[in-house]
Each structure stands twice: as structure tokens, then as C-alpha cells.
Amino acid sequence: MIQGSGRCHYHPDRAGLGVCVECRRVICRECTTQFEGINRCASCLDTRRKTLEGPPPRQEWSVAHVVMALVGAALLWGGVVLAAHAVG
């Protein structure tokens, strides 16, 4: 534990038990969770869990996505045709 900081960061009325290895905050017994053999606070544990889960699953294209893609392609094609007429 860090000397002189014997109170839990999340519960100042409680004695600190250890230090979170991620954020280095003093935490009490209730705030300490061992994950992968290392003490972490709830906030850092949640961040670690999200990192391990990886990116969110890819979403399928809905009708709105297809329509927006077609509108975008049509606008792009229209810009190309206008540019071609302006040059020629």
C-alpha cells in the first residue's frame, strides 16, 4: 500500500487493503477484485473486461443503409458527370 494513504479511494471511511495495479488508487476489501491474479478496482476491471471482449459485433446492413449508399453513389456519379461536362 502507498504509505500515508490508508483510506479507500471509493470509500474514504474504510481502511485501504491494497492498490489497484491499473490506476494505482488505494482500495478497500470490498473494492478489490482479483482478475488474472492481479488486484483491480471495479472501474479498471470493467475497462479490462471490455478490452478482452474485443470490438462490438458487426451489424448487418439495413434497408436504410443500402438506400443511403445508393444515394451517396448517385451523388458521386452526378459530380463526376458535371465535372466531365465542365471540362469538355
Side-chain angles (χ1 to χ4, degrees), residues 30-66:
E30 288 183 34
C31 292
T32 303
T33 302
Q34 268 204 358
F35 179 70
E36 299 173 332
I38 300 171
N39 289 336
R40 290 185 171 89
C41 67
S43 175
C44 293
L45 182 63
D46 188 48
T47 301
R48 180 72 177 145
R49 181 186 56 79
K50 288 177 182 175
T51 300
L52 291 175
E53 286 178 355
R58 186 174 167 189
Q59 294 181 346
E60 297 296 323
W61 281 50
S62 67
V63 173
H65 290 116
V66 173

Side-chain angles (χ1 to χ4, degrees), residues 8 10 16-20 25-29 31-32 40-41:
C8 176
Y10 300 101
L17 174 69
V19 176
C20 173
R25 292 180 177 144
V26 176
I27 45 181
C28 66
R29 180 181 312 273
C31 292
T32 303
R40 290 185 171 89
C41 67

